[in-house]
Amino acid sequence: MQDEVKKDQQSTDSEWSLPESIIDGVLFRETKNIITGNGTTSEGYREDWNLHSDPIKQIIQVTLRPGAISAWHMHRLQKDHVFVILGTFKLAMYDGRPQSPTYQKLEVRNLSNLRPGALVIPPGIWHGFKNLSHQESIFINYFDRAYQYSDPDEYRLPPDTTEIPFTF
């Protein structure tokens, strides 16, 4: 049994701040839920957050069934801007950029509407999501480049690839 025991890594500090990304170029801007008389409101993006300098060209909504995995995925040109609007996801990111100072680093985060935030994933970062909720979970993804139907900037590996040292 002792061989199976693993000590937790630090996930926050005494101010309950979330850790900075360990992958170069990945940005996270935590927001807050505002409790209203009939629910909650939270901001998903503001230009003055300076998460990027490019205009937003397209927004999609992604829904995953309970326990579903969407992995692995990467863009060579566009940035992903992810904001969870319902549920909880495990997000794994792997730096596949040979020129990056964080090349081959792996980062795993839990993202949820309970502690909202906007996450920017730069080109060249492999990423995948798993829905940790017992219901459908939803995130929106806004892009600095519109989807090119005739020449998609979409590259994929299977969820069980041996190219990335992570299993969902």
Side-chain angles (χ1 to χ4, degrees):
M1 180 165 132
Q2 287 297 329
D3 293 340
E4 297 177 13
V5 174
K6 295 196 184 332
K7 186 176 183 321
D8 279 352
Q9 297 289 322
Q10 182 178 356
S11 60
T12 189
D13 60 21
S14 61
E15 300 297 318
W16 286 76
S17 299
L18 296 174
E20 295 291 320
S21 176
I22 62 168
I23 295 179
D24 185 51
V26 172
L27 303 171
F28 183 75
R29 167 69 187 238
E30 185 175 3
T31 63
K32 296 186 187 283
N33 283 321
I34 299 165
I35 309 302
T36 65
N38 59 359
T40 61
T41 300
S42 57
E43 293 179 308
Y45 171 78
R46 287 180 54 99
E47 183 179 25
D48 60 359
W49 290 348
N50 297 317
L51 292 176
H52 63 86
S53 59
D54 302 315
I56 299 302
K57 300 287 188 173
Q58 182 180 15
I59 300 173
I60 64 170
Q61 175 181 294
V62 178
T63 302
L64 291 181
R65 293 183 305 279
I69 297 170
S70 175
W72 291 96
H73 181 82
M74 185 267 295
H75 307 286
R76 293 206 169 127
L77 302 174
Q78 80 182 35
K79 292 178 186 172
D80 282 350
H81 303 77
V82 176
F83 186 82
V84 176
I85 58 175
L86 179 66
T88 302
F89 292 93
K90 181 174 294 294
L91 166 67
M93 297 177 286
Y94 180 75
D95 192 346
R97 305 167 296 174
Q99 75 286 3
S100 171
T102 56
Y103 179 55
Q104 296 184 325
K105 284 222 181 224
L106 176 74
E107 181 172 346
V108 180
R109 288 179 172 253
N110 290 328
L111 302 176
S112 175
N113 64 296
L114 298 175
R115 191 161 185 182
L119 182 79
V120 179
I121 305 171
I125 304 295
W126 289 96
H127 51 286
F129 296 87
K130 180 176 183 179
N131 179 358
L132 299 179
S133 300
H134 296 291
Q135 64 184 13
E136 285 187 337
S137 289
I138 303 170
F139 65 87
I140 57 171
N141 196 345
Y142 38 103
F143 308 110
D144 59 342
R145 299 174 57 91
Y147 182 82
Q148 300 298 309
Y149 298 105
S150 62
D151 187 20
D153 181 28
E154 307 282 338
Y155 300 87
R156 298 188 186 276
L157 289 169
D160 61 350
T161 184
T162 58
E163 299 294 316
I164 297 173
F166 182 80
T167 303
F168 280 96

